[in-house]
Amino acid sequence: MTATVATELSADPAALFEMYRRMRLIRQFEDRASRLYRTNEIPGFLHLSIGQEASAVGACWPLDDRDVVTSTHRGHGHCIAKGLDVTGMFAELMGRRTGTCQGRGGSMHIADPRKGIFGANGIVAAGLPIATGAATAAQLRGDGGVVLAFFGDGAVAQGMFHEAVNLAAVWQLPVIFCCENNHYAEFSAAADQHRATLADRARGYGIDYAHVDGNDVVAVADTVTTLVAKLRAGAGPVLLEAETYRWHGHYEGDPERYREPEELASWKERDPLPRLASRLDPGRIAEIDLEIDVLIEKAVAEAKAAEEPAPETLHHYVGVPREPVAEPPEPTGEIFRTMDAVHDALDYELGSDKGVFVAGIDVGAGGNVFGLTRGLAEKYPGRVRDTPISESAVVGVGVGAAMAGMRPVVELMYLDFIGVCLDQLMNQAAKLRFMTGGAVTLPLVVRTQFGAGKSSGSQHSQSLEALLAHIPGLTVVMPSTPSDTYGLLRAAIRDPNPVVFIENRLLYGRKGPRPEPGHLIPLGKAAIRREGTDVTLVSYSKLVHDCVAVAEQLAGEGISVEVIDLRTIAPLDTETVLRSLAKTGRLVVAHQAVEQFGVGAELAALAAEEGFWTLDAPVIRVGAAATPAPYAPSLEREWLPSPDRIAAAVRRSAAA
């Protein structure tokens, strides 16, 4: 949507009529959606913002095509105010193929990133970290773009609110955090949810605060126009509070026992539509009302007539198909370490693509806790960024920046910390392409590391790849050699899909030949580390080296072991595993993760389902014991899969 300059708005009849038209369009859209829901023509949840039209229209008034909005589960008004077509929106709510998101998002996830509408969100406050990512992209591009992040008063209680606002303050990002304070967080009055005001919170974050009557569209537009101008000129984030009120319940069907009818009636007297209409020509207002009514009827009719998505398209948009990459020759260069491979891959991609940036805790001035990024912050000013200790904000920055067309590489210091920010991976990064019907790609890399064996304890040792591999839309990579680390990390950064890149810290000092600078390893392709004919032994990451050593040992006992290094956990290279199984008839899987419900279980299921007629023995899994990672070395040794346990499993398979 092209911005309308809001100079002396009160004296500009054309602007005022247009504001009224947009508010009327939102009101009629939502009124009709409410009726469609009651007749079961909208199948899913529906959260309406009737009564809040002025805050949406006024806040979006000065925005243009450079700018981004993030929204809430009550986001129809924001989408319409930013220019989304209501015909597609009705079709989306009805689950039709012609919907804005091809029927894959619905009301709570409606979005069109191509228009700068990064989406409604079913997770309270989840759009705020994404907004910081979009604002980071705007800041790095230097094109004057700003981000408007809508949230409700209930979101203030979420950690993601704190993390996003704090990070935006630290980085001085061009973002307006716009609280539509409708005085209720779901069923609870705001007074029962918070003790500090937003003004106090803004002072605590060291950012500006503004307050506006959210039912006065002109006041909102004037306020936001001033704020946007400051942000385009280089100002930092601001917290804007627009006081308003929702007429309907938290959701359609809400019995609304938590508020009195008199309260609603008093707010209806401040209805933003007649409040503006009273200042304008009644004849023209009547024309606009009729125009909107006709538009809504036509949109509903077209949406109803549209087809549902075909069942055979179910798997569309889960990810972007990958361009094939040939397996490169074995490297023959000078010896280097895995830690050098990480550094060099990041250096290569930062130097090759200005859309690449790196962010994480102590990755800049500190050079990473393991020294992997030393020197990169100085070499690429502004593009290797230290963050607060805020994992949700870190990953959210990656999600938002990727949606905005950048190629972020964000770091989580330890894989164990994935639980702190799982929403941004599981509900945002992994699903946004699907939920937008393919309207967005997310070329995001989340780098992290793990590694048991050095008494790091239960919260710094876990191998959690199976948890991540269970989430459709995520690619999970776990390299074992220095050259593969280099080639896979570069491939991950260039990939259009979100990739979790998991390194084993006990491999950082491992040495191997350096590949050529252009070295790339195909994602989703396993490597055969040692050929054999009797037993297939599958592993990945550090344990691959134990498996190769076991294979060499067992060769002396007359057992020929083929060792497969998966390299990519999701998607699994099932073809390589099944081809090897067809040759050997036996399968053993070894991994550092807890044995139950892990990658070994998935491969056992694969063997039973697709390789059953080639199996000559039961599949055997070797993994960590079903306890948290222990601290004492004696217990940790017992907990981890050892070479002796792997060798015993292979012998048992060969003898079966």
Side-chain angles (χ1 to χ4, degrees), residues 128 230 259 283 378:
L128 302 182
K230 290 180 179 178
R259 61 181 179 182
E378 294 80 10

Side-chain angles (χ1 to χ4, degrees), residues 116 192 209 262 421 443 486 510 616 633:
D192 298 330
Y209 168 81
E262 294 78 15
C421 57
Y486 177 86
R510 189 173 186 90
D616 295 327

Side-chain angles (χ1 to χ4, degrees), residues 30 154 167 314 326 339 361 368 373 383 396 530:
E30 295 213 299
L167 184 139
L314 171 63
M339 62 189 301
I361 301 163
N368 169 273
T373 58
R383 292 172 56 207
R530 187 184 189 280

Side-chain angles (χ1 to χ4, degrees), residues 133-202:
T136 300
Q139 186 182 69
L140 288 171
R141 289 191 175 112
D143 62 359
V146 304
V147 177
L148 183 67
F150 287 103
F151 65 101
D153 49 279
V156 176
Q158 284 278 3
M160 285 186 286
F161 166 82
H162 162 73
E163 292 191 25
V165 176
N166 185 60
L167 184 139
V170 170
W171 285 3
Q172 280 290 96
L173 295 177
V175 56
I176 299 169
F177 294 101
C178 180
C179 178
E180 292 181 301
N181 184 354
N182 62 24
H183 301 282
Y184 284 93
E186 298 193 359
F187 302 163
S188 300
D192 298 330
Q193 296 281 301
H194 317 291
R195 291 295 178 264
T197 67
L198 283 174
D200 289 338
R201 293 177 188 275

Side-chain angles (χ1 to χ4, degrees), residues 58 135 459 490 582:
Q459 295 179 348
R490 284 196 55 232

Side-chain angles (χ1 to χ4, degrees), residues 70-246:
T70 62
S71 186
T72 69
H73 56 275
R74 202 179 307 284
H76 305 146
H78 310 144
C79 292
I80 294 171
K82 187 66 165 67
L84 205 54
D85 170 63
V86 295
T87 302
M89 290 178 66
F90 274 124
E92 185 61 30
L93 268 56
M94 294 179 193
R96 299 296 203 267
R97 183 184 61 79
T98 58
T100 306
C101 305
Q102 300 197 36
R104 285 160 170 82
S107 172
M108 283 196 293
H109 311 116
I110 198 163
D112 192 343
R114 296 162 297 197
K115 292 181 176 291
I117 302 167
F118 279 19
N121 209 302
I123 310 297
V124 173
L128 302 182
I130 294 172
T132 65
T136 300
Q139 186 182 69
L140 288 171
R141 289 191 175 112
D143 62 359
V146 304
V147 177
L148 183 67
F150 287 103
F151 65 101
D153 49 279
V156 176
Q158 284 278 3
M160 285 186 286
F161 166 82
H162 162 73
E163 292 191 25
V165 176
N166 185 60
L167 184 139
V170 170
W171 285 3
Q172 280 290 96
L173 295 177
V175 56
I176 299 169
F177 294 101
C178 180
C179 178
E180 292 181 301
N181 184 354
N182 62 24
H183 301 282
Y184 284 93
E186 298 193 359
F187 302 163
S188 300
D192 298 330
Q193 296 281 301
H194 317 291
R195 291 295 178 264
T197 67
L198 283 174
D200 289 338
R201 293 177 188 275
R203 281 191 290 272
Y205 293 116
I207 65 174
D208 289 337
Y209 168 81
H211 181 277
V212 68
D213 180 353
N215 280 19
D216 184 341
V217 67
V218 176
V220 177
D222 276 333
T223 299
V224 177
T225 297
T226 300
L227 296 176
V228 166
K230 290 180 179 178
L231 264 62
R232 296 203 199 283
V238 61
L239 188 54
L240 172 64
E241 183 175 13
E243 283 202 68
T244 183
Y245 197 83
R246 58 170 163 85

Side-chain angles (χ1 to χ4, degrees), residues 30 37 45 68 143 154 196 285 315 319 354 370 393 397 400 402 409 433 445 450 497 561 626:
E30 295 213 299
Y37 180 84
F45 292 119
V68 166
D143 62 359
I285 291 296
H315 295 279
K354 290 184 178 179
F370 299 103
V397 161
V409 182
R433 177 169 173 79
V445 174
F450 79 111
N497 301 291
V561 180

Side-chain angles (χ1 to χ4, degrees), residues 400-634:
M403 292 180 74
M406 307 292 280
R407 292 187 177 273
V409 182
V410 298
E411 179 181 305
L412 297 180
M413 192 176 287
Y414 286 82
L415 176 57
D416 309 71
F417 303 164
I418 206 80
V420 181
C421 57
L422 188 58
D423 173 73
Q424 287 294 323
L425 271 175
M426 177 177 68
N427 285 319
Q428 312 302 327
K431 296 177 180 175
L432 277 164
R433 177 169 173 79
F434 183 83
M435 292 193 304
T436 61
V440 69
T441 58
L442 283 106
L444 161 67
V445 174
V446 178
R447 271 194 56 252
T448 189
Q449 56 78 31
F450 79 111
K454 294 293 184 181
S455 291
S456 296
S458 295
Q459 295 179 348
H460 286 72
S461 304
Q462 297 169 92
S463 187
L464 300 172
E465 64 277 2
L467 184 154
L468 296 168
H470 189 71
I471 301 170
L474 289 184
T475 296
V476 182
V477 177
M478 298 182 75
S480 65
T481 70
S483 61
D484 276 6
T485 299
Y486 177 86
L488 285 166
L489 182 52
R490 284 196 55 232
I493 295 171
R494 292 176 170 226
D495 197 70
N497 301 291
V499 179
V500 183
F501 194 89
I502 305 172
E503 302 148 12
N504 189 303
R505 61 180 172 273
L506 301 186
L507 290 176
Y508 282 146
R510 189 173 186 90
K511 297 177 180 179
R514 184 189 297 273
E516 295 294 322
H519 187 77
L520 286 171
I521 297 290
L523 299 176
K525 181 66 176 175
I528 297 177
R529 298 301 182 194
R530 187 184 189 280
E531 294 194 356
T533 57
D534 295 334
V535 179
T536 297
L537 177 56
V538 180
S539 190
Y540 48 91
S541 192
K542 181 178 179 294
L543 216 57
V544 165
H545 303 289
D546 289 345
C547 290
V548 171
V550 164
E552 296 293 340
Q553 170 195 340
L554 294 179
E557 301 177 17
I559 302 173
S560 177
V561 180
E562 182 150 293
V563 179
I564 295 177
D565 179 356
L566 288 176
R567 303 194 295 193
T568 300
I569 308 306
L572 275 173
D573 181 359
T574 57
E575 181 182 347
T576 295
V577 173
L578 289 171
R579 187 167 57 243
S580 178
L581 179 59
K583 177 169 58 173
T584 67
R586 291 169 170 81
L587 177 63
V588 176
V589 186
H591 50 62
Q592 281 196 4
V594 171
E595 187 173 294
Q596 288 88 340
F597 302 98
V599 174
E602 182 64 25
L603 288 173
L606 172 73
E609 186 173 352
E610 298 187 38
F612 179 79
W613 299 110
T614 63
L615 274 173
D616 295 327
V619 177
I620 300 175
R621 295 173 291 158
V622 184
T627 74
Y631 171 76
S634 60

